[in-house]
Amino acid sequence: MANTTKKSTKVWSGRFESGPSELMEAFSRSIDVDRHMWQQDILVNKAWAEALCEIGIFTADEARSVQAGLDQIAAEFEHDAFEFLPDDEDIHVAIERRLTELTGEAGARIHTGRSRNDQVATDARLFLKQHVDIWCQKLAALQNSLIELAKANLGIVMPGYTHLQQAQPILLSHYLLAIFWGVDRTLSRLDDYFERLDVMPLGNGALAGAAFPVDRQKLAARLGFARISNNSIDTTGDRDFCAELLFIIGSFFSHVSRVCAELQWWSSNDIAFVEFSDQYATGSSMMPQKKNPDAMELIRGKSAAAIAAANQILILQKGLPLTYNRDLQEDKPVTFHQLREASISTEIFEQALKTASFNKDKMAAAIDPNTLATDAADYLVRKNVPFRQAHEIAGKLVRLAIERKVALSALSLQDFRSVSPVFDDDVFAALTVEASLAQRNIAGGTGPDAVKNQLAEASARAAKYDKNAFLR
Ligand code: ARG
């Protein structure tokens, strides 16, 4: 079977005596992935047909029949009635083949001046414009949910960690907004990326430019591209628009996977800061009591392939001679798949957070009083003790508190004075979680006023990317 050959009916069969083996044919087919671009391919065909009509390649009648044929093909796809044939290597060939069946000679003229090399790059950019926008809307929804959560949970205190060791008290809202700003960087990268995505390759032909004077500016306007590409050699072989997107997706996943790790830990029975809703948790086939944070674990798991994909697309392009090489057909499976994964993960992450309940008593009770040690040192600094000495003094007090098995603030004034005479009665007011937070109203800090200001800034930022504001 592998060596079966037959006379080919392929679009490129003229110079061949026989067709490819079935093995080779199946190997080179990309229809399973690029069939998802049927809508874009129809749009590109329609615009190209119009451009060809303007330069006299089609008569007005032929142009009309081509437009009607393309509408019919679109309807066939919509009704799942389009029939692919074995010779349909990819979506471009399939649609041209069907158009020719429907319109005869008119359809046979559609590929004038055009190559699948500029066609596929145009289709893929159009496809990504649409689907990146869908992802952006989900990211904007995630931002809005984070803002709502931060507002609803204002005032909830919890331990903040570094090295997974309790460090200083923070507000839960401050933590939630930390997630917001990571998403904001993703959106800002996508916004910037969009400028470079929004460039039309059509008219570049195979590599040297179409030999027919189609109006590329008009074509771009019709297809909704902001610009046309400048160099046919560059554009037919350029897949930066995939690589950049995969980097953005990889960086999004690397950020979100950290939050997932943390929330997985927060949801453990020992910590119990958070409980996920039944809709976003799963059970165990063996242990009846289990409620597992699988949404977090799956997103973190998916980040492995996403980060690898950013590497894969760069390796795919590395060392290729300029212009189109068939290697580039491997761009779409990974890019489309990862964009879909990012989009779904964003939605799951948002819903899991939105429907989770945060246990404010557990969070407050978990704060180790010794996390106020920095505040003890800061207290001394405010009384003119150099910070390095203040740090040493506070460290000694922590040791004393640990020895006595009491909270730092439960030591007596006499104990405080035994380490430094600078301490006064007012030290006890300084060593509360509320006082610690109130000292951190610096812009970007976890103090309650600072977090309220941050919320206002986040809201203004989110409005920028809110629904439909993204696509220019
Ligand atoms: N299916 C190909 C791709 O996805 C486009 C076709 C270009 N093929 C060619 N032989 N020039 O990249």
Side-chain angles (χ1 to χ4, degrees), residues 170 201 244 296 366:
I170 56 168
E244 263 192 88
M296 298 299 112

Side-chain angles (χ1 to χ4, degrees), residues 8-282:
S8 176
T9 49
K10 300 211 172 296
V11 284
W12 41 259
S13 62
R15 63 98 61 225
F16 289 83
E17 215 167 286
S18 80
S21 74
E22 279 180 33
L23 189 63
M24 177 59 193
E25 189 166 60
F27 185 60
S28 73
R29 201 175 286 138
S30 56
I31 199 76
D32 285 346
V33 171
D34 56 34
R35 63 192 300 163
H36 296 294
M37 302 194 300
W38 70 264
Q39 266 170 321
Q40 290 72 25
D41 205 69
I42 294 278
L43 284 176
V44 167
N45 269 289
K46 294 192 93 170
W48 189 246
E50 193 178 84
L52 289 182
C53 183
E54 276 166 13
I55 58 166
I57 299 292
F58 288 128
T59 63
D61 270 356
E62 282 178 327
R64 260 192 300 278
S65 105
V66 163
Q67 295 295 343
L70 289 166
D71 287 337
Q72 175 173 336
I73 297 172
E76 289 174 4
F77 273 104
E78 259 154 34
H79 299 109
D80 229 357
F82 186 92
E83 252 183 72
F84 287 102
L85 300 184
D87 273 345
D88 294 342
E89 275 182 22
D90 54 30
I91 191 66
H92 325 293
V93 169
I95 289 179
E96 184 186 335
R97 187 261 308 153
R98 181 72 182 131
L99 183 66
T100 310
E101 278 169 14
L102 293 172
T103 67
E105 204 161 278
R109 293 185 201 282
I110 189 77
H111 214 53
T112 306
R114 186 177 78 176
S115 159
R116 281 182 291 163
N117 300 354
D118 60 348
Q119 201 178 348
V120 71
T122 306
D123 286 8
R125 284 173 185 260
L126 276 178
F127 181 92
L128 290 179
K129 277 177 63 174
Q130 187 184 336
H131 288 84
V132 163
D133 190 55
I134 294 170
W135 182 32
C136 286
Q137 288 179 29
K138 290 186 178 166
L139 288 165
L142 170 59
Q143 281 199 320
N144 284 323
S145 291
L146 286 165
I147 288 173
E148 288 314 311
L149 275 173
K151 271 189 197 153
N153 290 297
L154 262 179
I156 296 186
V157 295
M158 63 176 297
Y161 298 80
T162 64
H163 313 265
L164 267 194
Q165 308 299 312
Q166 285 208 16
Q168 289 170 341
I170 56 168
L171 286 178
L172 171 62
S173 300
H174 195 48
Y175 184 94
L176 293 167
L177 288 173
I179 309 172
F180 173 95
W181 293 109
V183 177
D184 188 66
R185 288 194 293 280
T186 299
L187 275 164
S188 147
R189 282 188 191 107
L190 285 168
D191 195 17
D192 187 50
Y193 156 72
F194 202 83
E195 295 234 355
R196 286 176 292 281
L197 174 64
D198 203 7
V199 175
M200 187 194 72
L202 199 61
N204 281 166
L207 79 158
F212 299 87
V214 292
D215 184 340
R216 292 189 69 210
Q217 296 292 358
K218 206 166 160 187
L219 261 179
R222 177 167 176 157
L223 289 171
F225 280 106
R227 278 172 299 288
I228 62 171
S229 62
N230 297 315
N231 183 308
S232 56
I233 292 177
D234 172 44
T235 321
T236 47
D238 166 37
R239 293 296 182 272
D240 281 358
F241 68 92
C242 295
E244 263 192 88
L245 178 60
L246 287 172
F247 166 76
I248 296 170
I249 291 172
S251 103
F252 165 77
F253 268 109
S254 100
H255 176 239
V256 165
S257 69
R258 295 176 65 171
V259 181
C260 288
E262 194 138 5
L263 292 179
Q264 176 194 28
W265 173 58
W266 285 14
S267 77
S268 78
N269 313 55
D270 305 322
I271 306 289
F273 288 173
V274 72
E275 183 175 348
F276 289 104
S277 68
D278 285 4
Q279 294 110 294
Y280 291 96
T282 51

